[in-house]
């Protein structure tokens, strides 16, 4: 979820929120990751880059065997977000991901 929040653009889209957020009695909300995983590939308005990013984020959330052929479509910003999510999943808080100065 942190990666989606950091990326910001996808969560701003109604089509993504509609398939990710599950509302419960009393106004509580949660993320329905399993439903999201099944539905995002068919969500209207998502580009191949959007879908590639979401596939990688879902794979970080629920470890999956995936191909990395679509990394080139992410761009620098989204690639850095995915790399930080992977480092966090591995338990590392010391690997720096970003532009060198």
């Amino acid at each position: 979820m942190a990666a989606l929040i950091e990326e910001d653009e996808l969560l701003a889209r109604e089509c993504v929120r509609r398939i990710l957020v599950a509302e419960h009695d009393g106004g509580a909300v949660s993320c329905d990751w399993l439903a999201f995983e099944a539905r995002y590939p068919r969500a209207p308005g998502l580009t191949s880059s959007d879908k590639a990013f979401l596939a990688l984020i879902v794979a970080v959330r629920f470890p999956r065997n995936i191909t990395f052929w679509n990394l080139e479509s992410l761009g620098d910003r989204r690639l850095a977000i995915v790399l930080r999510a992977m480092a966090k999943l591995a338990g590392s808080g010391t690997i720096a991901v970003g532009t060198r100065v």
Side-chain angles (χ1 to χ4, degrees):
M1 192 64 201
L4 281 174
I5 292 169
E6 182 179 349
E7 193 274 344
D8 189 44
E9 294 173 15
L10 288 170
L11 277 181
R13 297 184 193 175
E14 178 65 28
C15 68
V16 172
R17 286 193 314 272
R18 188 173 49 249
I19 60 176
L20 177 62
V21 177
E23 296 185 27
H24 306 283
D25 294 335
V29 296
S30 66
C31 296
D32 187 345
W33 286 102
L34 294 176
F36 182 75
E37 181 179 24
R39 295 179 187 151
Y40 82 84
R42 295 181 305 280
L46 295 180
T47 67
S48 59
S49 176
D50 296 337
K51 291 176 185 178
F53 177 77
L54 292 171
L56 291 164
I57 294 306
V58 167
V60 169
R61 175 65 178 95
F62 297 107
R64 303 277 192 262
N65 290 325
I66 62 169
T67 59
F68 289 109
W69 64 266
N70 50 10
L71 283 175
E72 63 189 19
S73 70
L74 294 182
D76 290 349
R77 183 173 169 273
R78 284 182 170 173
L79 178 59
I81 293 168
V82 169
L83 292 173
R84 281 191 289 275
M86 292 173 70
K88 185 174 182 177
L89 177 67
S92 175
T94 59
I95 296 175
V97 176
T99 305
R100 289 185 180 179
V101 180

